């Protein structure tokens, strides 16, 4: 039984407040800390902020904390729901308690913290790892599949102070034989990339963005990709590491066009067709295997047209916001073939699992992701294994709030291999759920 729920305001990786939850049962106390995004979709569940300019510039979360301690906690304790067997019922209870379609009354950050803590408590009560608890909740099968980490090693867009519009340029060690080897490959390329940047731009250019990737003074996507080609070559991994891009294009969508110079003094407007041609050129010239949010969340026509002959995984983030309503619409419209999964976009673990399973039913891929405002909570490491999604965005292979996910995944891999079979997704990351 759930005995008590307490909450507190803590800080995320950007220095902004976030919600921390401590849920106590007769098995102990289970903690969860909620992530937050900078580049957010318009239809995401609502993160409750205090909007009091005298504290944290209005970004405080004391209202969400109070909602947990004064509303959610007492109601959930009184409900008698059990963490080990009632995760879906608990999440439904939380949604009904809020009563809005977007969790704006109590706050998605308040609700998610409790949902995450309940999942941890449920796993402990069953004496199983969290990833196994989540596998059972999702109805997933075995063997376990370890994901390919898509490391965001070059930051741009609203995540950094340089002039490149595209938000993330990633490396994916598909040629590794295990997750542990993939981390080594990613780390070695990251260190080589730093040397390349120093050589080209000087030591002052090695500052990092929100997600730990370097943010050198570049303006064009091909410049970022050329840096990666050189770093991968120097590390000796040419062919074993592929690339991915997340332009986060909603951030530079302007009146039907895309301003890829939005961080520069001079606008550089591209029509949707021109931007699509830029993507196709990049796909032809670089080993890119995944493209996320190439068009704005409202630009459905461009998504649909591009998806007709897109040769790589086409991931919807802002377009879908981990919400079954938009996943269904995107499938009906044939707008993409993959869903980015961010737990705070939807606000409960059960709804995130439901969205993933719906995507799988459409023969899509699912790509688990961190947020730019991260914490040292490693929940999504267990989630990616439990849901068998085959790939994850943990950030760059540096900074504590990023590498804690990598370290947890290496622990999971070692733990599983000590007792049973475990597969590294590798080049089959898109279809890991079908193994």
């Amino acid at each position: 039984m759930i005995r008590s729920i307490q909450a507190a305001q803590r800080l995320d990786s950007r220095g902004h407040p976030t919600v921390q939850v401590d849920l106590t049962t007769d098995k102990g106390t289970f903690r969860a800390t909620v992530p937050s995004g900078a580049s957010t979709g318009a239809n995401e569940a609502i993160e409750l902020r205090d909007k009091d300019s005298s504290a944290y510039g209005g970004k405080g979360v004391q209202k969400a904390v109070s909602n947990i301690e004064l509303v959610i906690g007492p109601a959930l304790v009184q409900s008698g729901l059990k963490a080990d067997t009632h995760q879906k019922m608990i999440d439904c209870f939380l949604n009904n308690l809020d009563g809005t379609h977007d969790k704006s009354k109590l706050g998605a950050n308040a609700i998610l913290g409790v949902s995450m803590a309940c999942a941890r408590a449920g796993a402990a009560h069953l004496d199983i790892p969290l990833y196994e608890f989540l596998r059972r909740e999702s109805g997933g099968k075995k063997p376990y599949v370890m994901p390919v980490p898509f490391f965001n090693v070059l930051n741009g867009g609203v995540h950094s102070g340089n002039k490149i519009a595209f938000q993330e340029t990633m490396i994916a060690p598909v040629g590794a034989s295990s997750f542990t080897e993939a981390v080594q490959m990613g780390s070695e390329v990251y260190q080589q990339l730093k040397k390349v940047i120093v050589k080209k731009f000087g030591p002052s250019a090695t500052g990092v963005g929100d997600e730990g990737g370097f943010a050198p003074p570049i303006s064009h996507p091909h410049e970022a990709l050329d840096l990666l080609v050189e770093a991968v070559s120097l590390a000796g991994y040419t062919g074993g590491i592929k690339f991915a891009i997340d332009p986060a294009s909603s951030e530079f969508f302007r009146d039907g066009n895309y301003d890829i110079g939005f961080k520069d003094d001079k606008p550089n407007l591209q029509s949707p067709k021109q931007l699509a041609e830029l993507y196709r050129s990049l796909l032809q010239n670089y080993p890119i295997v995944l493209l996320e949010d190439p068009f704005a969340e409202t630009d459905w026509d461009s998504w649909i047209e591009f998806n007709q002959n897109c040769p790589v995984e086409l991931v919807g983030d802002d377009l879908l916001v981990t919400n079954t309503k938009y996943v269904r619409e995107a499938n009906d419209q044939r707008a993409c073939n993959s869903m980015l999964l961010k737990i705070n976009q939807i606000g409960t673990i059960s709804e995130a699992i439901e969205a993933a399973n719906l995507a799988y039913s459409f023969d899509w891929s699912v790509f688990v992701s961190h947020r730019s405002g991260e914490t040292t909570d490693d929940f999504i490491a267990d989630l990616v294994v439990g849901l068998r999604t085959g790939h994850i965005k943990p950030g760059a292979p540096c900074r504590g709030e990023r590498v804690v996910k990598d370290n947890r995944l290496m622990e999971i891999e070692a733990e599983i291999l000590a007792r049973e079979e475990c597969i590294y997704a590798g080049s089959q990351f898109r279809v890991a759920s079908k193994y």
Side-chain angles (χ1 to χ4, degrees):
M1 300 291 288
I2 299 170
R3 292 182 175 178
S4 67
I5 303 176
Q6 296 179 309
Q9 179 172 264
R10 295 294 184 258
L11 295 182
D12 69 18
S13 60
R14 295 173 303 177
H16 295 323
T18 190
V19 175
Q20 180 173 285
V21 176
D22 287 312
L23 182 144
T24 301
T25 72
D26 55 4
K27 284 281 188 176
T29 298
F30 305 92
R31 174 168 290 177
T33 314
V34 179
S36 174
S39 172
T40 56
N43 296 311
E44 290 190 20
I46 300 299
E47 179 184 73
L48 192 61
R49 296 282 178 179
D50 297 339
K51 299 180 181 178
D52 174 7
S53 59
S54 67
Y56 289 106
K59 292 183 179 293
V61 293
Q62 292 291 7
K63 289 180 181 178
V65 167
S66 294
N67 286 341
I68 293 171
E69 298 206 317
L70 301 179
V71 180
I72 296 174
L76 192 54
V77 170
Q78 188 176 13
S79 74
L81 290 168
K82 299 177 181 179
D84 54 345
T85 54
H86 291 163
Q87 181 74 39
K88 292 185 180 68
M89 294 172 64
I90 288 170
D91 290 341
C92 184
F93 179 86
L94 296 174
N95 284 334
N96 290 336
L97 196 63
D98 176 87
T100 68
H101 75 281
D102 56 6
K103 300 178 176 65
S104 56
K105 179 181 177 182
L106 299 175
N109 43 351
I111 291 170
L112 178 61
V114 175
S115 180
M116 292 167 68
C118 283
R120 283 205 166 98
H125 276 254
L126 294 172
D127 196 27
I128 57 176
L130 178 58
Y131 58 84
E132 172 61 12
F133 178 83
L134 296 170
R135 184 189 72 82
R136 295 182 187 182
E137 285 293 312
S138 70
K141 57 185 179 180
K142 289 187 177 181
Y144 294 108
V145 177
M146 297 304 299
V148 174
F150 279 62
F151 296 114
N152 179 12
V153 294
L154 286 171
N155 288 186
V158 298
H159 286 178
S160 76
N162 61 8
K163 293 185 176 181
I164 189 168
F166 288 10
Q167 188 166 280
E168 302 178 15
T169 309
M170 297 168 271
I171 56 171
V174 298
S177 60
S178 66
F179 182 84
T180 300
E181 185 183 13
V183 170
Q184 178 181 341
M185 293 169 68
S187 177
E188 290 175 0
V189 171
Y190 184 80
Q191 299 304 326
Q192 290 295 336
L193 180 59
K194 183 175 184 179
K195 294 177 183 177
V196 171
I197 290 171
V198 169
K199 182 179 177 181
K200 288 183 181 294
F201 305 107
S204 63
T206 57
V208 300
D210 282 351
E211 297 181 357
F214 297 114
I218 55 177
S219 303
H220 304 288
H222 71 83
E223 294 177 283
L225 292 161
D226 286 340
L227 289 173
L228 294 192
V229 168
E230 185 172 352
V232 169
S233 176
L234 288 171
Y237 293 125
T238 300
I241 289 184
K242 304 298 183 182
F243 301 161
I245 301 175
D246 172 15
S249 56
S250 292
E251 297 292 340
F252 52 90
F253 188 53
R254 307 284 188 269
D255 299 320
N257 292 305
Y258 293 87
D259 182 8
I260 61 174
F262 82 103
K263 298 171 71 177
D264 208 340
D265 296 331
K266 299 178 181 178
N268 183 357
L269 292 177
Q270 303 280 305
S271 70
K273 289 189 182 297
Q274 287 175 315
L275 187 62
E277 284 306 308
L278 172 58
Y279 294 139
R280 295 196 188 283
S281 173
L282 295 175
L283 293 178
Q284 288 174 359
N285 291 303
Y286 299 94
I288 297 168
V289 293
L290 181 149
L291 186 58
E292 177 189 333
D293 272 9
F295 303 102
E297 61 198 287
T298 56
D299 190 8
W300 283 82
D301 289 344
S302 295
W303 279 92
I304 294 164
E305 183 176 352
F306 194 83
N307 191 39
Q308 289 177 0
N309 56 358
C310 179
V312 300
E313 181 174 345
L314 186 60
V315 184
D317 176 13
D318 291 349
L319 188 76
L320 307 174
V321 293
T322 319
N323 189 313
T324 55
K325 173 184 176 181
Y326 302 108
V327 172
R328 285 194 179 92
E329 183 176 356
N331 181 67
D332 290 342
Q333 299 280 348
R334 299 293 186 265
C336 58
N337 56 41
S338 179
M339 181 193 83
L340 198 72
L341 191 161
K342 292 175 174 172
I343 53 177
N344 79 316
Q345 283 184 329
I346 192 63
T348 68
I349 300 306
S350 297
E351 288 171 289
I353 291 172
E354 182 185 7
N357 283 339
L358 181 64
Y360 287 151
S361 76
F362 296 144
D363 205 27
W364 285 16
S365 306
V366 174
F367 190 22
V368 170
S369 177
H370 63 164
R371 297 307 303 253
S372 57
E374 258 302 334
T375 75
T376 52
D377 192 309
D378 56 13
F379 191 98
I380 62 169
D382 286 75
L383 184 67
V384 71
V385 175
L387 298 188
R388 286 174 128 230
T389 72
H391 47 333
I392 183 173
K393 286 209 296 185
C398 82
R399 294 178 51 148
E401 80 280 0
R402 310 297 158 181
V403 300
V404 69
K405 280 73 169 173
D406 303 324
N407 290 339
R408 172 59 183 154
L409 281 162
M410 288 190 283
E411 290 173 2
I412 291 173
E413 183 173 62
E415 182 181 301
I416 295 172
L417 286 173
R419 66 171 191 268
E420 61 188 282
E421 182 186 9
C422 180
I423 301 169
Y424 176 64
S427 61
Q428 300 302 304
F429 61 88
R430 290 182 65 177
V431 293
S433 65
K434 299 177 182 179
Y435 280 156

